[in-house]
Amino acid sequence: MKATTDKTVVTPMASASPGSGPEQPERMEKTLKARWVWAIALGSAVGWGAFILPTDWMAMGGPAGAISGFMIGGALMVLIAVSYGFLIKSFPVSGGELAFALVGFGRTHAFFCGWYLTLGYTCIVALNASALALLFRKLMPDFVQQGYLYSVAGWDVYLVEVVISMVALAVFAYLNIRGTALSGQIQFIACVIMLVAVACILVAVIASPQVVFSNALPAFPKDVNPIAAIAAIVAIAPWAFIGFDNVPQAAEEFDFPPSKAMRLIVLALLAAALLYCAMIAAVAMAAPWEALVAGDSAWGTADALTGVMGGAGMFLLTIGITMGVSTGLNGFYVSASRILLGMGRAQMVPKMFARLHPKYKTPYIGIIFVGAVCLISPWFGRAALTWVVDMSAVGVTVAYLYTCLCAYRLFRTTGAPVREGTLEGTNSTSKKVLSALGAVTSLVFMGLLLIPGSPGALGKESMLALAVWSLLGVVFFLMRRKHNKTLTDDQVDILVLGAPRPEGSELKSARPATTTGS
């Protein structure tokens, strides 16, 4: 692969000519160290699922199918990471995929990319908070299951459980408002603790004299084609690895060269895939997996590990899930607020979202908004919330697709003549091919989620939630259309990117410089 330089084309907002457009937004401080960014990607990608859902995944694909599916899914994510790495290097601004969609396809596409991501990230914040309540429900059922309120979709909602989720949401909102450096440090420490806990679980299970490796057989569910079993797990890869795409959201805050972002993403994806596989392997070996899946346990992972390790197993699992939930809450607060920051700068949503805290220099309006929305979610019950979160995988896949297509549009073949004003490192046939493969991978993921009868097809409730959110997006876009026409495309580019859109994009070269509207 052709090497590229560390040169970044996008210049600071201060370079914009005074009086050339609307008031330019304040940029965020560069406080994020590389290891903190890696932890944001890893901690967001793993979350609570690795510690609660191994039995669900084995029910779909068996031990071998689940492990193979996660390894293949991680490898496919690396294809997509190539495009992310290039675009982060070229456009290190808050907003990530919103900025990429703007560069490649214009304001309308950027709005809907941001619209889906905002919902997806916000819902994952809410789901992580509910996962923390679920942990307490398992550890202290008599305490948590007090103050019964009602049932939603078969899930009993208790007042104590609601309060636990709300407190977690409030605490992490406060930490994020206090500063990116603080949340980054917490993220890194939590990720290290989580990795140590998982390593201890796997080693303890393998070393246990009562573990029989035949517990992990058969490799695939009976009467299920192995390819279909693996495909069912690969289909959830966009959901399972959501989080590595948090890196571009924080790119404006890097205190290191943005060219390092791709390596951090790949390392985070590798660590996430290995962590998922380690937890699946540990649970599969700890107890006969078919009996575990067929049982009616609310948390099969805990039952399997405590059966082998006793209280130590529950202790390590509790540490792992607490760290996973904490890193998920923290990481997606970062992403959701930065997407809103980018949309606020572009005035796709009210301009107040572009404000930074006068002392801590964080997008506090977006953080408060995300927290306020999520504070409503515990009252609806976890079962209903999972419908919306399942749907959000589509929104994230849309963002993957926009990123890869934007990179494909900017990359040129190695021998193509270099034009003045184009980005550094765009002449690379291999990268253009990889970005095309990333786009195809994104389309495959989307098909697995949306095509009826596919192994990973969304349920009717999730499809309905997707339709409702899409309709709301259209309505909101039309409501803002009149205001959007007060800004030219070039002004929006300056507001979001900090500089004019680079030459070399077909969209840029094909439009008049003073075009208005979307």
Side-chain angles (χ1 to χ4, degrees), residues 156-167:
D156 294 336
V157 180
Y158 295 91
L159 180 61
V160 174
E161 191 173 33
V162 170
V163 170
I164 291 172
S165 295
M166 295 177 73
V167 169

Side-chain angles (χ1 to χ4, degrees), residues 66-71 202 271-283:
I67 291 173
S68 299
F70 274 105
M71 294 305 295
L202 183 61
L274 291 175
L275 193 151
Y276 278 124
C277 292
M279 286 302 303
I280 293 168
V283 175

Side-chain angles (χ1 to χ4, degrees), residues 117 134 142 166 195 207 229 251 297 311 319 352-353 369 391 402 423 455 465 509 517:
L117 278 179
L134 182 64
D142 293 336
M166 295 177 73
L195 289 171
S297 172
I319 290 177
M352 65 178 182
F353 285 100
F369 175 81
M391 172 273 291
Y402 271 123
L423 296 170
S509 59

Side-chain angles (χ1 to χ4, degrees), residues 235-474:
I236 66 172
W239 175 85
F241 290 100
I242 291 174
F244 83 86
D245 50 304
N246 288 353
V247 172
Q249 314 304 335
E252 191 173 305
E253 301 158 79
F254 291 174
D255 78 342
F256 55 91
S259 57
K260 292 183 178 180
M262 180 178 169
R263 181 173 61 186
L264 296 175
I265 290 174
V266 171
L267 289 174
L269 286 170
L270 176 62
L274 291 175
L275 193 151
Y276 278 124
C277 292
M279 286 302 303
I280 293 168
V283 175
M285 292 185 292
W289 75 268
E290 287 184 307
L292 194 64
V293 167
D296 57 359
S297 172
W299 191 2
T301 301
D303 293 341
L305 295 180
T306 53
V308 171
M309 303 168 63
M314 180 56 75
F315 175 72
L316 290 171
L317 194 57
T318 299
I319 290 177
I321 193 172
T322 301
M323 296 302 103
V325 168
S326 299
T327 55
L329 272 169
N330 192 55
F332 285 104
Y333 256 124
V334 170
S335 292
S337 60
R338 271 59 173 183
I339 280 286
L340 287 169
L341 175 67
M343 295 182 77
R345 286 173 174 173
Q347 298 182 28
M348 297 172 180
V349 296
K351 289 191 292 184
M352 65 178 182
F353 285 100
R355 297 177 192 165
L356 299 184
H357 193 281
K359 179 179 180 181
Y360 302 119
K361 304 302 179 184
T362 53
Y364 70 106
I365 298 294
I367 294 169
I368 292 172
F369 175 81
V370 172
V373 171
C374 290
L375 286 174
I376 301 171
S377 62
W379 301 91
F380 287 91
R382 183 177 173 84
L385 183 59
T386 57
W387 299 338
V388 184
V389 175
D390 289 345
M391 172 273 291
S392 69
V394 176
V396 175
T397 307
V398 168
Y400 294 163
L401 180 61
Y402 271 123
T403 300
C404 293
L405 289 177
C406 177
Y408 179 80
R409 172 167 277 184
L410 292 173
F411 280 131
R412 309 175 73 222
T413 56
T414 302
V418 177
R419 293 183 291 183
E420 183 178 355
T422 57
L423 296 170
E424 290 285 338
T426 52
N427 281 36
S428 174
T429 300
S430 59
K431 290 182 180 178
K432 191 171 183 69
V433 170
L434 288 173
S435 62
L437 290 174
V440 171
T441 300
S442 301
L443 287 171
V444 171
F445 283 145
M446 197 174 300
L448 288 169
L449 291 167
L450 296 179
I451 297 175
S454 77
L458 297 178
K460 60 181 181 180
E461 296 89 354
S462 298
M463 292 293 285
L464 179 61
L466 177 63
V468 170
W469 186 249
S470 300
L471 179 61
L472 288 173
V474 172

Side-chain angles (χ1 to χ4, degrees), residues 10-31:
V10 175
T11 56
M13 181 61 71
S15 66
S17 301
S20 61
E23 182 181 353
Q24 307 304 335
E26 182 181 5
R27 294 285 145 174
M28 300 190 69
E29 296 180 349
K30 298 185 180 298
T31 57

